[in-house]
Amino acid sequence: MDTFQLIILLLDATLRTSTPLILAALAGMFSERSGTINLALEGMMLGGAFSAAAVAFYVGSPWVGLLAAIATTIALSLLHGFACITHKGNQVVSGMAINILMSGLTALVGIALFAQGGKTPALDKGSRFQPITFPGADAVQDVPVLGLIYSELLSGHNILVYVAFLAVPAAWWVMYRTRFGLRLRAVGENPGAVDTAGIGVVAMRYRAVICSGVLVGMSGAYLSTAQGASFLQDMTAGKGYIALAAMVFGKWRPFPALAACLLFGFLDAAATRLQGVVLPGIGEVPVQLVQALPYILTVILLAGFIGRAIPPKALGRAYVKER
Amino acid sequence: MHQMHGAGETGAVQPAIELRGIDKRFGAVHANKEIDLKVDKGTIHGIVGENGAGKSTLMSILYGFYQADAGTIHVDGKLCEINGSEDAIAVGIGMVHQHFMLVETFSVLENVILGVEGGAVLRDGVEKAREELKRLEREYSLNIDPDAIVGDLSVGLQQRVEILKALYRGAEILILDEPTGVLTPQEADHLFRILDTLKEQGKTVVLITHKLREIMAATDNVSVMRQGAMVAHRKTAETSPEELSELMVGRKVLLRLEKGESNPAATVLKVDNLCVDNAQGVRKVKNATFTVRAGEIVGIAGVSGNGQSELLEALGGIRSASEGTVELNRQDVTAGKGVDAAELRRRGVAHVPEDRHRMAMVTAFSAKEAAILGYEDDPAYQKGGLLDWDAISAATANMMSEFDVRPDNPDLKAANFSGGNQQKLVLAREIMRDPELLLVGQPTRGVDIGAIEFIHKRIVAMRDAGKAVLLVSVELDEIMSLADRILVMCDGAIIGEVAASEANERVLGLMMAGVDPNEAKAAEGQA
């Protein structure tokens, strides 16, 4: 295998590994831009993944599974909103509570339903999202350079990968070019300004967490019905937190967050590829180090190399009218 | 200062706003008692009262932020149900809040259209809004770039954005809540000119303030509130500051502080090239150099946020100095080199911080606990390694009688005292230790007029007892009546010094805006 082919394969894997991160990072962005900290991404992703796999297994359609995942994550978002927005609870605690709850609940329900130690049964082809082959992809496969880019890198992914990448400009447009986005950003910066402008702060924040729920639901469904073929216990393995880190890394903006997700996705893909590979002069690459890189990078880069990441001003603060 | 308007031009017909029997309680607090108010169309109407008199509550009811327990609101003669700011906007009421309701990361245009975007996609409404803004700016000479980011604008300009917001929403009645608290005198004058233009265009302005000077200068009519009740309505031309302050307080008050000449002796505090950075590493105090002698009050004037707070905190030992030295009686006490607030207190520096609730006391504590904060290690308060509550109670009772703290109950929770009484307790705690140097910031912020008089007298008494006093205040009146020498800070630097006898508001105002003192005095000479 030549180097070019290796790079294409690595990038191809990067697209697949970064897809759930992109969807979840955008989900986090919608929630946090409106002032609600969303540490619950991890747990919501897990809940979405479980619902998608379980429903897809019973119904035999990945689309119904996807809807189930989104319904689950919207419900969890509303729960988070009920604690944080309506009852002004601690947003970090509520988020962590959802994470812990979902880690246990998915396993519990999984065992009760399927008795496979927390897993869901393997999905057949028709119950999963299948790769979409672009027209002529096979024909151009042997054209040097461009052929491989088209057939391997761009073509042959499942629908959710394309949705994730299209969701980034869409989120940008909603955030910066619509009335909804303007109000959403305003409510995360100064809810008082929104209130005195005659817009309901609470309703606005709920709408933001519902958007967050839709996106993170897709991210969960991707894990169990597109990338994988069943739900595994704790299969998110920290992806929710990585997505959150990517969002902070991207300063709560869609395109920089996309770049961060691609970087983290690339490191993930590289870690798999580099497993057991002996590099000249270095020796065998310690896989654990590569796996830890996203976290290490986040800490180091946030500590000063990318400039200060300024969060939305009202992030984490429930809105209370002053007397 | 701005010229007074004749009351003759305000012969109005239908009141723009009429409030009848407005009543509001917050738990045990009766914030508004059966308030009646008429505001004539096309006038500037002032509402004065001490802090806590219920002015802001009343205006919040008018703007729909709270709902009254009883009473009715009539706008242009029509009964209105105002249940939220959207209702207030709909009947043409706009409000400029004391704390601006602006999104700092947004542009002026975005702030203005928030809530009235004119379509689900911004592009549709933005161009129309831009045209309308241009028209409004021309009409009222507001001088604002619609694409400027609000966070980059000065406070004066941010306030104009708030006015623009109200006008854009078609406000015919504009309420301004303590609008000049954060402005330089020049900015305040500019604001009053804008309000005049608004009046000429037939708008009605309600101005809420506790500054009598502004009422006298800017309004046509004035209503006075005291302890939640409306106590008087006057035509501004037919009243005086003395009468208004008496109405506000309910007894005669001395507006002008009587104090003798100062007798400065040896230098107590010597500050040399002091630089202080904030937590973000931004230099907030730049090469401050000055002295304070025994027997004088040195005042530091400046618009809030120009480094005075950081300077005071560094001198008080709660913020490290980055460069420069501070000497107390020729001994190095620069904060950060093993010198902290406790050490400074041991050496005779008393510090009354600017923010009473955040730094001077714990409001959840009882008065006696609050009265020993920072001095709890004093052997007089200790018995066998434990706190001697009998001695503490006695000491607190002594402070309370000496400083006229009411009610004089050492066991009452600090939060249950009024602002003025809390401040008197803090001052008692610091002054009764008989310090060499008193650092005092915003001594009368949120304090009623009666207590202001008392606090000012005690500070002057400190000076007359031969102590050094450094006073930081954003209230120019306070600085001018208390200080013997005035230093003006702008953007972290001490712009210059003016003797109190030569100081006036115009010169200080120009210096606060960063104008060189010599130029400021020259400009004053020409004026």
Side-chain angles (χ1 to χ4, degrees):
Chain A
M1 202 191 298
D2 60 22
T3 319
F4 177 68
Q5 204 174 359
L6 188 76
I7 290 171
I8 290 294
L9 287 177
L10 197 55
L11 292 179
D12 185 50
T14 301
L15 297 189
R16 284 196 301 270
T17 48
S18 52
T19 293
L21 300 182
I22 293 166
L23 289 167
L26 291 177
M29 187 186 75
F30 271 94
S31 172
E32 302 220 336
R33 267 302 180 98
S34 79
T36 307
I37 297 174
N38 202 345
L39 271 185
L41 288 178
E42 175 82 4
M44 291 189 193
M45 214 192 250
L46 208 52
F50 177 81
S51 299
V55 171
F57 172 73
Y58 283 124
V59 180
S61 156
W63 293 100
V64 182
L66 176 66
L67 287 182
I70 291 174
T72 305
T73 47
I74 286 179
L76 289 172
S77 290
L78 291 175
L79 177 67
H80 187 51
F82 187 65
C84 303
I85 304 168
T86 304
H87 288 291
K88 310 180 195 330
N90 185 304
Q91 304 182 354
V92 172
V93 171
S94 166
M96 288 312 292
I98 288 174
N99 290 345
I100 294 165
L101 174 74
M102 290 323 288
S103 170
L105 197 63
T106 49
L108 178 79
V109 178
I111 291 168
L113 288 180
F114 306 109
Q116 295 190 4
K119 285 201 311 188
T120 61
L123 297 172
D124 58 34
K125 245 184 143 188
S127 313
R128 294 179 57 203
F129 287 104
Q130 292 301 311
I132 298 168
T133 308
F134 284 6
D138 291 331
V140 299
Q141 204 167 5
D142 296 326
V143 178
V145 184
L146 288 178
L148 199 59
I149 289 179
Y150 184 74
S151 66
E152 191 62 46
L153 186 58
L154 299 180
S155 167
H157 297 287
N158 65 70
I159 183 84
L160 289 179
V161 175
Y162 300 113
V163 167
F165 280 86
L166 290 176
V168 177
W172 177 86
W173 187 79
V174 168
M175 208 54 114
Y176 294 99
R177 289 290 180 266
T178 68
R179 173 173 69 193
F180 175 71
L182 184 80
R183 291 177 174 186
L184 188 146
R185 285 182 289 133
V187 87
E189 290 285 338
N190 184 355
V194 174
D195 196 8
T196 51
I199 307 162
V201 171
V202 168
M204 206 51 229
R205 287 189 165 168
Y206 266 109
R207 288 162 76 186
V209 294
I210 289 172
C211 291
S212 179
V214 171
L215 286 161
V216 76
M218 290 198 260
S219 153
Y222 176 84
L223 291 181
S224 64
T225 62
Q227 195 179 28
S230 71
F231 173 83
L232 307 171
Q233 200 177 338
D234 288 325
M235 75 185 303
T236 48
K239 285 193 179 63
Y241 297 114
I242 293 264
L244 208 62
M247 177 202 68
V248 174
F249 205 35
K251 301 184 182 182
W252 289 268
R253 288 164 195 275
F255 286 105
L258 168 67
C261 289
L262 287 173
L263 174 65
F264 292 164
F266 175 79
L267 291 172
D268 195 6
T272 318
R273 291 267 153 186
L274 288 173
Q275 205 149 14
V277 174
V278 179
L279 288 183
I282 302 175
E284 196 173 328
V285 180
V287 177
Q288 292 84 350
L289 180 71
V290 184
Q291 280 168 340
L293 265 180
Y295 301 99
I296 297 170
L297 265 182
T298 307
V299 171
I300 292 175
L301 294 178
L302 280 183
F305 288 93
I306 53 158
R308 271 167 49 75
I310 300 165
K313 219 172 177 181
L315 182 60
R317 292 210 312 264
Y319 179 56
V320 185
K321 285 191 186 194
E322 319 175 43
R323 230 191 86 182
Chain B
M1 196 69 212
H2 192 71
Q3 285 307 303
M4 188 187 287
H5 308 284
E9 65 196 58
T10 65
V13 271
Q14 179 86 275
I17 307 170
E18 187 176 357
L19 303 179
R20 290 186 201 154
I22 296 287
D23 210 88
K24 178 75 182 171
R25 285 173 189 275
F26 294 105
V29 182
H30 202 166
N32 282 161
K33 298 172 189 164
E34 303 260 328
I35 303 278
D36 292 321
L37 175 69
K38 268 187 201 166
V39 178
D40 291 337
K41 206 173 172 59
T43 63
I44 301 182
H45 193 112
I47 297 182
V48 279
E50 298 195 298
N51 291 296
K55 303 173 302 231
S56 291
T57 304
L58 185 65
M59 290 304 125
S60 296
I61 289 171
L62 185 52
Y63 193 64
F65 221 55
Y66 305 126
Q67 275 72 54
D69 300 335
T72 54
I73 300 171
H74 306 258
V75 177
D76 285 328
K78 285 192 287 288
L79 178 69
C80 292
E81 188 85 16
I82 298 182
N83 288 323
S85 29
E86 61 276 11
D87 295 340
I89 294 166
V91 297
I93 299 176
M95 178 131 176
V96 176
H97 294 265
Q98 190 175 1
H99 306 287
F100 300 149
M101 295 297 182
L102 295 172
V103 181
E104 293 191 350
T105 51
F106 282 12
S107 71
V108 171
L109 187 71
E110 286 174 317
N111 266 289
V112 169
I113 63 170
L114 183 66
V116 283
E117 297 86 349
V121 178
L122 291 180
R123 196 179 46 203
D124 304 343
V126 161
E127 288 316 310
K128 227 178 79 209
R130 192 183 290 278
E131 288 307 309
E132 174 68 5
L133 278 194
K134 274 189 193 146
R135 189 185 68 75
L136 287 171
E137 279 169 58
R138 266 200 311 276
E139 212 159 296
Y140 301 101
S141 54
L142 294 167
N143 302 327
I144 298 175
D145 171 13
D147 294 313
I149 298 298
V150 163
D152 299 337
L153 298 177
S154 70
V155 221
L157 285 173
Q158 290 189 6
Q159 190 171 55
R160 284 185 224 165
V161 178
E162 284 279 30
I163 294 175
L164 206 50
K165 257 171 73 177
L167 293 176
Y168 184 76
R169 285 162 170 74
E172 287 299 318
I173 301 159
L174 194 64
I175 306 168
L176 293 107
D177 190 3
E178 299 281 0
T180 59
V182 287
L183 304 182
T184 64
Q186 278 78 9
E187 283 176 320
D189 278 353
H190 193 143
L191 172 68
F192 292 142
R193 279 201 297 279
I194 292 171
L195 297 186
D196 259 352
T197 318
L198 287 168
K199 189 175 93 169
E200 279 158 23
Q201 305 273 347
K203 312 269 183 199
T204 307
V205 178
V206 179
L207 181 67
I208 305 169
T209 181
H210 65 275
K211 295 182 183 170
L212 295 173
R213 194 163 29 83
E214 291 170 1
I215 290 289
M216 297 310 294
T219 67
D220 300 308
N221 298 298
V222 53
S223 300
V224 186
M225 288 187 75
R226 184 171 74 228
Q227 290 170 0
M230 194 60 91
V231 292
H233 303 284
R234 294 281 186 274
K235 283 205 181 308
T236 309
E238 294 165 10
T239 185
S240 65
E242 286 74 20
E243 186 194 16
L244 290 178
S245 62
E246 197 180 326
L247 286 166
M248 278 162 69
V249 185
R251 63 176 171 84
K252 279 212 183 305
V253 251
L254 210 56
L255 285 182
R256 193 74 204 172
L257 182 73
E258 306 285 343
K259 74 177 191 338
E261 285 291 303
S262 65
N263 269 317
T267 298
V268 173
L269 179 73
K270 185 162 179 278
V271 178
D272 193 20
N273 254 323
L274 183 69
C275 294
V276 184
D277 298 340
N278 72 2
Q280 280 80 44
V282 178
R283 183 136 297 186
K284 297 298 280 188
V285 178
K286 299 165 184 167
N287 305 88
T289 300
F290 61 92
T291 58
V292 183
R293 288 168 294 175
E296 72 170 350
I297 300 174
V298 173
I300 296 189
V303 178
S304 171
N306 274 278
Q308 310 97 307
S309 308
E310 287 79 6
L311 174 65
L312 194 65
E313 287 174 17
L315 296 178
I318 50 183
R319 190 183 284 279
S320 293
S322 306
E323 279 174 43
T325 55
V326 179
E327 286 179 15
L328 181 74
N329 292 327
R330 294 166 187 271
Q331 285 183 311
D332 186 4
V333 293
T334 312
K337 302 177 194 162
V339 176
D340 58 8
E343 174 63 21
L344 282 165
R345 282 173 174 226
R346 275 193 289 278
R347 295 191 187 207
V349 178
H351 180 193
V352 177
E354 291 183 307
D355 190 333
R356 182 162 63 241
H357 294 141
R358 206 165 57 81
M359 300 179 87
M361 61 172 14
V362 181
T363 47
F365 277 12
S366 67
K368 60 183 180 189
E369 288 170 318
I372 60 163
L373 277 179
Y375 301 107
E376 64 281 349
D377 287 340
D378 186 325
Y381 297 147
Q382 304 265 340
K383 196 164 71 182
L386 297 173
L387 288 171
D388 181 355
W389 287 111
D390 291 337
I392 292 167
S393 288
T396 307
N398 185 25
M399 288 182 204
M400 289 178 145
S401 75
E402 185 70 21
F403 274 74
D404 189 31
V405 179
R406 282 179 258 181
D408 58 350
N409 175 3
D411 293 311
L412 193 65
K413 215 169 101 173
N416 294 340
F417 289 87
S418 72
N421 284 305
Q422 289 176 350
Q423 187 72 339
K424 285 194 275 188
L425 186 63
V426 172
L427 277 159
R429 179 180 80 204
E430 302 299 332
I431 290 178
M432 288 179 73
R433 313 288 308 183
D434 198 23
E436 290 291 307
L437 168 69
L438 175 65
L439 304 170
V440 54
Q442 313 297 353
T444 56
R445 177 183 281 171
V447 167
D448 44 284
I449 293 192
I452 290 177
E453 195 187 352
F454 182 89
I455 289 169
H456 283 177
K457 277 187 186 158
R458 295 305 301 224
I459 292 176
V460 172
M462 276 289 285
R463 177 199 79 163
D464 293 341
K467 310 297 183 185
V469 179
L470 183 74
L471 165 76
V472 171
S473 176
V474 294
E475 300 283 346
L476 271 188
D477 286 344
E478 178 165 82
I479 292 270
M480 288 195 297
S481 64
L482 275 182
D484 300 307
R485 288 190 290 134
I486 301 171
L487 305 172
V488 182
M489 277 186 91
C490 178
D491 194 26
I494 293 180
I495 289 275
E497 180 182 328
V498 187
S501 53
E502 294 167 17
N504 68 39
E505 199 162 83
R506 240 188 92 75
V507 172
L508 291 178
L510 286 170
M511 288 167 71
M512 279 155 71
V515 177
D516 181 82
N518 295 321
E519 283 173 35
K521 281 175 201 161
E524 169 65 7
Q526 285 159 16

